[in-house]
Amino acid sequence: MPVIPAMAALFALFVIALIGLDMLVRAPKRREEGGVRPAVQTANADPVNLRRRRPLTQRLSGAVLIVAVLVLLIVLRPALGIF
């Protein structure tokens, strides 16, 4: 693979890994923190379902992005000429 496309691919993987790390370590914001009043809850509403982002979902998404980058590096290792 020529040098410029290889470096572009590595840069893209690096950016994706940074986004994954950010999602993994950032504390998720809740609806109340954004300055918006919380919605009126009905008697059978679960407050967990009213969150804008669930912490576990955000962290899992970050972990999946990091794993995807690692898998792509392993698969593209011969083509990129790294490691």
Side-chain angles (χ1 to χ4, degrees):
M1 180 178 262
V3 175
I4 293 176
M7 289 299 131
L10 286 175
F11 179 74
L13 289 175
F14 177 73
V15 169
I16 293 171
L18 281 179
I19 293 170
L21 281 173
D22 182 51
M23 290 177 74
L24 195 61
V25 255
R26 180 180 291 185
K29 293 181 182 178
R30 294 196 180 163
R31 183 172 293 163
E32 294 83 19
E33 293 174 5
V36 178
R37 291 183 59 194
V40 177
Q41 296 180 9
T42 59
N44 58 357
D46 185 11
V48 175
N49 292 331
L50 298 176
R51 292 182 190 162
R52 184 174 293 166
R53 292 183 189 145
R54 294 185 180 169
L56 185 60
T57 304
Q58 180 177 340
R59 289 195 174 107
L60 282 175
S61 298
V64 166
L65 282 175
I66 293 170
V67 169
V69 167
L70 292 175
V71 168
L72 284 172
L73 280 175
I74 291 170
V75 169
L76 295 175
R77 184 180 55 183
L80 295 174
I82 55 174
F83 307 122

